[in-house]
Amino acid sequence: LIRTVCQATEAGDRRATDGCLLRRYVADGDRDALAAMVRRHADMVWNVCLRRAGDRSAAEDAFQAVFLALVRSAGRVRDPDGVGG
């Protein structure tokens, strides 16, 4: 059901919401949905990590930790559509 609703959303909007992508990942283990979220937010996450960490090496570690945390806690996200924020 989640996949059907998300595919209908994608067809209508040409872009699935973060919540739709996250639900697909949680429900089906859809790695393409997770990859789409990473691509969508990678630049923003990288820039925040670099600004906060101050050096590239620490920023790289933080960047990986952010997405690892998302993978590990994907099923517990309270507001899937707000994951980008």
Side-chain angles (χ1 to χ4, degrees):
L1 177 63
I2 290 170
R3 180 172 291 284
T4 303
V5 170
C6 288
Q7 286 172 343
T9 300
E10 289 167 7
D13 294 343
R14 304 306 261 159
R15 182 175 167 170
T17 65
D18 288 338
C20 224
L21 293 170
L22 188 60
R23 287 181 196 95
R24 281 177 32 198
Y25 175 69
V26 170
D28 300 334
D30 186 338
R31 294 172 66 185
D32 291 335
L34 180 62
M37 285 186 58
V38 170
R39 282 191 305 274
R40 182 178 294 174
H41 297 291
D43 288 342
M44 183 260 313
V45 171
W46 172 251
N47 288 327
V48 170
C49 289
L50 189 57
R51 277 195 310 271
R52 299 292 294 167
D55 76 68
R56 267 187 115 63
S57 181
E60 288 170 359
D61 291 343
F63 179 84
Q64 290 177 17
V66 166
F67 289 107
L68 182 59
L70 176 62
V71 167
R72 288 182 174 166
S73 64
R76 295 187 306 267
V77 174
R78 290 184 189 168
D79 180 14
D81 285 310
V83 77

